[in-house]
Amino acid sequence: MNSKTNAIVNFIAQELNSFIYILSVVSGALLGGALVASIPLCAILVGFYNL
């Protein structure tokens, strides 16, 4: 590989890395939020079921 191709490959790899990092942070936050939101929801459902 010549230096120009190498630079392009490195740039794409860095962009992909940051994109994957952002994606994992966002999906982790969404998963955490969904988990926190589902706890009171489950409690409410159980409360209604027990009525």
Side-chain angles (χ1 to χ4, degrees):
M1 269 198 288
N2 59 15
S3 59
K4 198 173 184 183
T5 310
N6 212 10
I8 291 164
V9 168
N10 276 343
F11 176 74
I12 291 167
Q14 281 178 334
E15 288 297 300
L16 208 66
N17 261 353
S18 58
F19 178 71
I20 289 166
Y21 175 74
I22 291 164
L23 208 71
S24 66
V25 166
V26 167
S27 61
L30 283 173
L31 264 168
L35 201 73
V36 169
S38 71
I39 291 166
L41 220 92
C42 285
I44 291 163
L45 278 171
V46 168
F48 274 124
Y49 187 74
N50 287 337
L51 282 173

Short mmCIF file of all heavy atoms in Angstrom, two decimals:
data_model
loop_
_atom_site.label_atom_id
_atom_site.label_comp_id
_atom_site.label_asym_id
_atom_site.label_seq_id
_atom_site.Cartn_x
_atom_site.Cartn_y
_atom_site.Cartn_z
N MET A 1 0.84 -1.20 0.00
CA MET A 1 0.00 0.00 0.00
C MET A 1 0.87 1.26 0.00
O MET A 1 1.84 1.33 0.76
CB MET A 1 -0.90 0.02 1.25
CG MET A 1 -2.25 -0.65 1.01
SD MET A 1 -3.45 -0.17 2.24
CE MET A 1 -2.84 -1.05 3.67
N ASN A 2 0.53 2.22 -0.83
CA ASN A 2 1.27 3.48 -0.79
C ASN A 2 0.75 4.34 0.36
O ASN A 2 -0.25 4.03 0.99
CB ASN A 2 1.20 4.21 -2.14
CG ASN A 2 -0.22 4.53 -2.56
OD1 ASN A 2 -1.14 4.46 -1.76
ND2 ASN A 2 -0.40 4.88 -3.82
N SER A 3 1.45 5.45 0.62
CA SER A 3 1.15 6.26 1.81
C SER A 3 -0.23 6.91 1.74
O SER A 3 -0.88 7.08 2.77
CB SER A 3 2.23 7.32 1.99
OG SER A 3 2.29 8.14 0.85
N LYS A 4 -0.69 7.25 0.52
CA LYS A 4 -1.99 7.91 0.39
C LYS A 4 -3.12 6.94 0.78
O LYS A 4 -4.03 7.29 1.54
CB LYS A 4 -2.19 8.42 -1.03
CG LYS A 4 -3.27 9.46 -1.15
CD LYS A 4 -3.32 10.08 -2.54
CE LYS A 4 -4.37 11.20 -2.57
NZ LYS A 4 -4.48 11.77 -3.93
N THR A 5 -3.04 5.73 0.26
CA THR A 5 -4.03 4.71 0.60
C THR A 5 -4.00 4.41 2.09
O THR A 5 -5.04 4.25 2.73
CB THR A 5 -3.76 3.42 -0.21
OG1 THR A 5 -3.61 3.75 -1.58
CG2 THR A 5 -4.88 2.42 -0.06
N ASN A 6 -2.80 4.33 2.63
CA ASN A 6 -2.61 4.07 4.05
C ASN A 6 -3.27 5.15 4.90
O ASN A 6 -3.94 4.86 5.89
CB ASN A 6 -1.11 3.99 4.36
CG ASN A 6 -0.82 3.03 5.48
OD1 ASN A 6 -1.69 2.29 5.92
ND2 ASN A 6 0.41 3.03 5.95
N ALA A 7 -3.10 6.39 4.52
CA ALA A 7 -3.70 7.51 5.25
C ALA A 7 -5.22 7.44 5.19
O ALA A 7 -5.88 7.68 6.21
CB ALA A 7 -3.19 8.83 4.67
N ILE A 8 -5.75 7.11 4.02
CA ILE A 8 -7.21 7.01 3.87
C ILE A 8 -7.75 5.88 4.75
O ILE A 8 -8.75 6.04 5.45
CB ILE A 8 -7.58 6.80 2.38
CG1 ILE A 8 -7.28 8.07 1.59
CG2 ILE A 8 -9.05 6.43 2.24
CD1 ILE A 8 -7.25 7.86 0.09
N VAL A 9 -7.07 4.74 4.72
CA VAL A 9 -7.48 3.58 5.53
C VAL A 9 -7.44 3.93 7.02
O VAL A 9 -8.37 3.62 7.76
CB VAL A 9 -6.60 2.36 5.22
CG1 VAL A 9 -6.81 1.25 6.26
CG2 VAL A 9 -6.90 1.83 3.82
N ASN A 10 -6.38 4.62 7.45
CA ASN A 10 -6.27 5.04 8.85
C ASN A 10 -7.39 5.98 9.24
O ASN A 10 -7.97 5.87 10.32
CB ASN A 10 -4.92 5.73 9.09
CG ASN A 10 -3.81 4.73 9.36
OD1 ASN A 10 -4.07 3.57 9.67
ND2 ASN A 10 -2.58 5.18 9.25
N PHE A 11 -7.71 6.93 8.35
CA PHE A 11 -8.77 7.91 8.60
C PHE A 11 -10.12 7.20 8.75
O PHE A 11 -10.87 7.46 9.70
CB PHE A 11 -8.82 8.93 7.47
CG PHE A 11 -9.95 9.92 7.61
CD1 PHE A 11 -9.86 10.93 8.55
CD2 PHE A 11 -11.07 9.83 6.80
CE1 PHE A 11 -10.90 11.85 8.68
CE2 PHE A 11 -12.11 10.73 6.93
CZ PHE A 11 -12.02 11.75 7.88
N ILE A 12 -10.41 6.27 7.84
CA ILE A 12 -11.67 5.52 7.89
C ILE A 12 -11.74 4.70 9.18
O ILE A 12 -12.78 4.65 9.83
CB ILE A 12 -11.82 4.63 6.63
CG1 ILE A 12 -12.05 5.52 5.41
CG2 ILE A 12 -12.97 3.65 6.79
CD1 ILE A 12 -11.90 4.78 4.08
N ALA A 13 -10.64 4.09 9.56
CA ALA A 13 -10.60 3.29 10.78
C ALA A 13 -10.88 4.15 12.01
O ALA A 13 -11.62 3.73 12.90
CB ALA A 13 -9.24 2.61 10.91
N GLN A 14 -10.29 5.34 12.04
CA GLN A 14 -10.52 6.25 13.18
C GLN A 14 -11.98 6.71 13.23
O GLN A 14 -12.58 6.74 14.30
CB GLN A 14 -9.60 7.47 13.07
CG GLN A 14 -8.18 7.18 13.52
CD GLN A 14 -7.28 8.40 13.36
OE1 GLN A 14 -7.53 9.25 12.51
NE2 GLN A 14 -6.25 8.47 14.16
N GLU A 15 -12.53 7.07 12.07
CA GLU A 15 -13.93 7.49 12.01
C GLU A 15 -14.86 6.37 12.46
O GLU A 15 -15.80 6.60 13.20
CB GLU A 15 -14.28 7.92 10.58
CG GLU A 15 -13.64 9.23 10.16
CD GLU A 15 -14.12 10.40 10.99
OE1 GLU A 15 -15.33 10.68 10.98
OE2 GLU A 15 -13.29 11.05 11.64
N LEU A 16 -14.57 5.16 12.00
CA LEU A 16 -15.37 3.99 12.35
C LEU A 16 -15.29 3.74 13.86
O LEU A 16 -16.30 3.45 14.50
CB LEU A 16 -14.85 2.77 11.58
CG LEU A 16 -15.87 1.68 11.29
CD1 LEU A 16 -16.93 2.20 10.33
CD2 LEU A 16 -15.17 0.47 10.68
N ASN A 17 -14.09 3.87 14.42
CA ASN A 17 -13.91 3.67 15.86
C ASN A 17 -14.73 4.65 16.68
O ASN A 17 -15.42 4.26 17.62
CB ASN A 17 -12.42 3.84 16.22
CG ASN A 17 -11.73 2.50 16.34
OD1 ASN A 17 -12.35 1.45 16.28
ND2 ASN A 17 -10.42 2.54 16.52
N SER A 18 -14.67 5.93 16.30
CA SER A 18 -15.43 6.94 17.05
C SER A 18 -16.93 6.74 16.85
O SER A 18 -17.71 6.93 17.78
CB SER A 18 -15.01 8.35 16.63
OG SER A 18 -15.19 8.53 15.25
N PHE A 19 -17.33 6.31 15.64
CA PHE A 19 -18.75 6.06 15.37
C PHE A 19 -19.26 4.90 16.21
O PHE A 19 -20.32 4.99 16.83
CB PHE A 19 -18.94 5.76 13.88
CG PHE A 19 -20.36 5.45 13.51
CD1 PHE A 19 -21.32 6.46 13.52
CD2 PHE A 19 -20.73 4.16 13.16
CE1 PHE A 19 -22.64 6.18 13.18
CE2 PHE A 19 -22.05 3.88 12.83
CZ PHE A 19 -23.00 4.88 12.83
N ILE A 20 -18.46 3.82 16.28
CA ILE A 20 -18.84 2.66 17.09
C ILE A 20 -18.90 3.04 18.56
O ILE A 20 -19.80 2.61 19.29
CB ILE A 20 -17.85 1.49 16.84
CG1 ILE A 20 -18.07 0.92 15.44
CG2 ILE A 20 -18.02 0.39 17.89
CD1 ILE A 20 -16.95 0.01 14.97
N TYR A 21 -17.95 3.87 19.02
CA TYR A 21 -17.92 4.31 20.41
C TYR A 21 -19.18 5.11 20.75
O TYR A 21 -19.84 4.86 21.75
CB TYR A 21 -16.66 5.16 20.66
CG TYR A 21 -16.62 5.76 22.04
CD1 TYR A 21 -16.33 4.97 23.15
CD2 TYR A 21 -16.87 7.12 22.24
CE1 TYR A 21 -16.30 5.51 24.42
CE2 TYR A 21 -16.84 7.67 23.51
CZ TYR A 21 -16.55 6.86 24.59
OH TYR A 21 -16.53 7.40 25.83
N ILE A 22 -19.53 6.07 19.88
CA ILE A 22 -20.73 6.90 20.08
C ILE A 22 -21.97 6.02 20.08
O ILE A 22 -22.86 6.17 20.91
CB ILE A 22 -20.81 8.01 19.01
CG1 ILE A 22 -19.71 9.04 19.23
CG2 ILE A 22 -22.18 8.69 19.04
CD1 ILE A 22 -19.46 9.94 18.02
N LEU A 23 -22.01 5.07 19.12
CA LEU A 23 -23.15 4.17 19.00
C LEU A 23 -23.33 3.35 20.27
O LEU A 23 -24.44 3.18 20.76
CB LEU A 23 -22.94 3.26 17.79
CG LEU A 23 -24.20 2.73 17.11
CD1 LEU A 23 -24.89 3.87 16.37
CD2 LEU A 23 -23.83 1.63 16.13
N SER A 24 -22.21 2.84 20.80
CA SER A 24 -22.30 2.01 22.01
C SER A 24 -22.70 2.84 23.22
O SER A 24 -23.47 2.38 24.07
CB SER A 24 -20.96 1.31 22.27
OG SER A 24 -19.95 2.25 22.57
N VAL A 25 -22.22 4.08 23.31
CA VAL A 25 -22.60 4.96 24.41
C VAL A 25 -24.09 5.29 24.35
O VAL A 25 -24.80 5.22 25.35
CB VAL A 25 -21.75 6.26 24.39
CG1 VAL A 25 -22.35 7.33 25.31
CG2 VAL A 25 -20.32 5.97 24.79
N VAL A 26 -24.56 5.62 23.13
CA VAL A 26 -25.97 5.97 22.95
C VAL A 26 -26.87 4.77 23.24
O VAL A 26 -27.86 4.88 23.97
CB VAL A 26 -26.23 6.50 21.51
CG1 VAL A 26 -27.72 6.58 21.20
CG2 VAL A 26 -25.58 7.88 21.35
N SER A 27 -26.51 3.60 22.70
CA SER A 27 -27.33 2.40 22.92
C SER A 27 -27.28 1.99 24.40
O SER A 27 -28.29 1.54 24.95
CB SER A 27 -26.86 1.25 22.03
OG SER A 27 -25.52 0.90 22.31
N GLY A 28 -26.13 2.19 25.04
CA GLY A 28 -26.02 1.90 26.47
C GLY A 28 -26.91 2.83 27.29
O GLY A 28 -27.58 2.38 28.22
N ALA A 29 -26.92 4.11 26.92
CA ALA A 29 -27.78 5.07 27.62
C ALA A 29 -29.25 4.74 27.41
O ALA A 29 -30.05 4.82 28.35
CB ALA A 29 -27.46 6.48 27.13
N LEU A 30 -29.60 4.37 26.18
CA LEU A 30 -30.99 4.01 25.88
C LEU A 30 -31.40 2.76 26.64
O LEU A 30 -32.50 2.70 27.20
CB LEU A 30 -31.17 3.79 24.37
CG LEU A 30 -31.24 5.05 23.51
CD1 LEU A 30 -31.24 4.68 22.04
CD2 LEU A 30 -32.47 5.87 23.85
N LEU A 31 -30.51 1.78 26.68
CA LEU A 31 -30.79 0.54 27.41
C LEU A 31 -30.95 0.82 28.90
O LEU A 31 -31.87 0.32 29.54
CB LEU A 31 -29.64 -0.46 27.20
CG LEU A 31 -29.86 -1.49 26.10
CD1 LEU A 31 -28.57 -2.22 25.80
CD2 LEU A 31 -30.93 -2.49 26.49
N GLY A 32 -30.06 1.64 29.45
CA GLY A 32 -30.15 2.00 30.86
C GLY A 32 -31.43 2.76 31.16
O GLY A 32 -32.10 2.49 32.16
N GLY A 33 -31.78 3.69 30.28
CA GLY A 33 -33.01 4.45 30.44
C GLY A 33 -34.25 3.58 30.37
O GLY A 33 -35.17 3.72 31.17
N ALA A 34 -34.23 2.64 29.43
CA ALA A 34 -35.36 1.72 29.28
C ALA A 34 -35.49 0.82 30.51
O ALA A 34 -36.59 0.54 30.98
CB ALA A 34 -35.18 0.87 28.03
N LEU A 35 -34.35 0.40 31.03
CA LEU A 35 -34.34 -0.46 32.22
C LEU A 35 -34.90 0.29 33.42
O LEU A 35 -35.76 -0.22 34.15
CB LEU A 35 -32.90 -0.92 32.51
CG LEU A 35 -32.76 -2.17 33.37
CD1 LEU A 35 -33.15 -3.41 32.58
CD2 LEU A 35 -31.33 -2.30 33.86
N VAL A 36 -34.45 1.52 33.61
CA VAL A 36 -34.93 2.36 34.73
C VAL A 36 -36.42 2.66 34.57
O VAL A 36 -37.17 2.63 35.54
CB VAL A 36 -34.10 3.66 34.80
CG1 VAL A 36 -34.75 4.66 35.76
CG2 VAL A 36 -32.67 3.36 35.25
N ALA A 37 -36.84 2.92 33.32
CA ALA A 37 -38.25 3.23 33.07
C ALA A 37 -39.14 2.00 33.24
O ALA A 37 -40.30 2.13 33.62
CB ALA A 37 -38.40 3.80 31.66
N SER A 38 -38.60 0.81 32.97
CA SER A 38 -39.41 -0.41 33.03
C SER A 38 -39.67 -0.88 34.46
O SER A 38 -40.63 -1.59 34.71
CB SER A 38 -38.74 -1.54 32.24
OG SER A 38 -37.58 -2.00 32.91
N ILE A 39 -38.81 -0.44 35.39
CA ILE A 39 -38.98 -0.88 36.79
C ILE A 39 -40.30 -0.33 37.39
O ILE A 39 -41.12 -1.12 37.86
CB ILE A 39 -37.74 -0.50 37.64
CG1 ILE A 39 -36.54 -1.35 37.22
CG2 ILE A 39 -38.02 -0.69 39.14
CD1 ILE A 39 -35.21 -0.84 37.73
N PRO A 40 -40.56 0.98 37.36
CA PRO A 40 -41.86 1.47 37.86
C PRO A 40 -43.03 0.96 37.03
O PRO A 40 -44.12 0.74 37.56
CB PRO A 40 -41.73 2.99 37.79
CG PRO A 40 -40.61 3.26 36.87
CD PRO A 40 -39.69 2.09 36.96
N LEU A 41 -42.81 0.80 35.73
CA LEU A 41 -43.86 0.29 34.85
C LEU A 41 -44.27 -1.12 35.27
O LEU A 41 -45.46 -1.43 35.36
CB LEU A 41 -43.35 0.26 33.40
CG LEU A 41 -44.36 0.68 32.35
CD1 LEU A 41 -44.24 2.18 32.09
CD2 LEU A 41 -44.15 -0.10 31.07
N CYS A 42 -43.28 -1.97 35.55
CA CYS A 42 -43.56 -3.33 36.02
C CYS A 42 -44.27 -3.29 37.37
O CYS A 42 -45.20 -4.06 37.60
CB CYS A 42 -42.25 -4.12 36.15
SG CYS A 42 -41.58 -4.63 34.56
N ALA A 43 -43.85 -2.39 38.24
CA ALA A 43 -44.47 -2.26 39.55
C ALA A 43 -45.94 -1.86 39.42
O ALA A 43 -46.80 -2.40 40.11
CB ALA A 43 -43.71 -1.23 40.39
N ILE A 44 -46.21 -0.93 38.50
CA ILE A 44 -47.59 -0.49 38.27
C ILE A 44 -48.43 -1.64 37.72
O ILE A 44 -49.56 -1.88 38.16
CB ILE A 44 -47.61 0.73 37.31
CG1 ILE A 44 -47.02 1.96 38.02
CG2 ILE A 44 -49.02 1.02 36.81
CD1 ILE A 44 -46.61 3.07 37.05
N LEU A 45 -47.85 -2.38 36.75
CA LEU A 45 -48.55 -3.52 36.16
C LEU A 45 -48.86 -4.58 37.21
O LEU A 45 -49.97 -5.12 37.27
CB LEU A 45 -47.71 -4.13 35.03
CG LEU A 45 -47.81 -3.43 33.68
CD1 LEU A 45 -46.77 -4.00 32.72
CD2 LEU A 45 -49.19 -3.54 33.09
N VAL A 46 -47.88 -4.87 38.05
CA VAL A 46 -48.08 -5.85 39.12
C VAL A 46 -49.14 -5.35 40.09
O VAL A 46 -50.00 -6.11 40.54
CB VAL A 46 -46.74 -6.14 39.85
CG1 VAL A 46 -46.97 -6.91 41.14
CG2 VAL A 46 -45.80 -6.92 38.93
N GLY A 47 -49.12 -4.06 40.39
CA GLY A 47 -50.12 -3.46 41.27
C GLY A 47 -51.53 -3.58 40.72
O GLY A 47 -52.46 -3.95 41.44
N PHE A 48 -51.68 -3.32 39.43
CA PHE A 48 -52.99 -3.47 38.79
C PHE A 48 -53.43 -4.93 38.76
O PHE A 48 -54.61 -5.23 38.95
CB PHE A 48 -52.94 -2.92 37.35
CG PHE A 48 -53.19 -1.45 37.27
CD1 PHE A 48 -52.27 -0.61 36.66
CD2 PHE A 48 -54.34 -0.88 37.81
CE1 PHE A 48 -52.50 0.77 36.57
CE2 PHE A 48 -54.59 0.48 37.73
CZ PHE A 48 -53.66 1.30 37.12
N TYR A 49 -52.47 -5.80 38.52
CA TYR A 49 -52.78 -7.24 38.43
C TYR A 49 -53.26 -7.78 39.78
O TYR A 49 -54.10 -8.67 39.83
CB TYR A 49 -51.53 -8.00 37.96
CG TYR A 49 -51.77 -9.45 37.67
CD1 TYR A 49 -52.45 -9.83 36.52
CD2 TYR A 49 -51.31 -10.43 38.53
CE1 TYR A 49 -52.66 -11.17 36.22
CE2 TYR A 49 -51.51 -11.78 38.25
CZ TYR A 49 -52.20 -12.14 37.10
OH TYR A 49 -52.40 -13.45 36.82
N ASN A 50 -52.72 -7.20 40.86
CA ASN A 50 -53.07 -7.68 42.19
C ASN A 50 -54.37 -7.08 42.74
O ASN A 50 -54.84 -7.48 43.78
CB ASN A 50 -51.91 -7.39 43.18
CG ASN A 50 -50.74 -8.32 42.95
OD1 ASN A 50 -50.88 -9.40 42.41
ND2 ASN A 50 -49.56 -7.88 43.36
N LEU A 51 -54.92 -6.11 42.03
CA LEU A 51 -56.15 -5.47 42.49
C LEU A 51 -57.34 -6.45 42.46
O LEU A 51 -57.48 -7.20 41.53
CB LEU A 51 -56.49 -4.25 41.61
CG LEU A 51 -55.70 -2.98 41.89
CD1 LEU A 51 -56.01 -1.92 40.85
CD2 LEU A 51 -55.99 -2.44 43.28
#
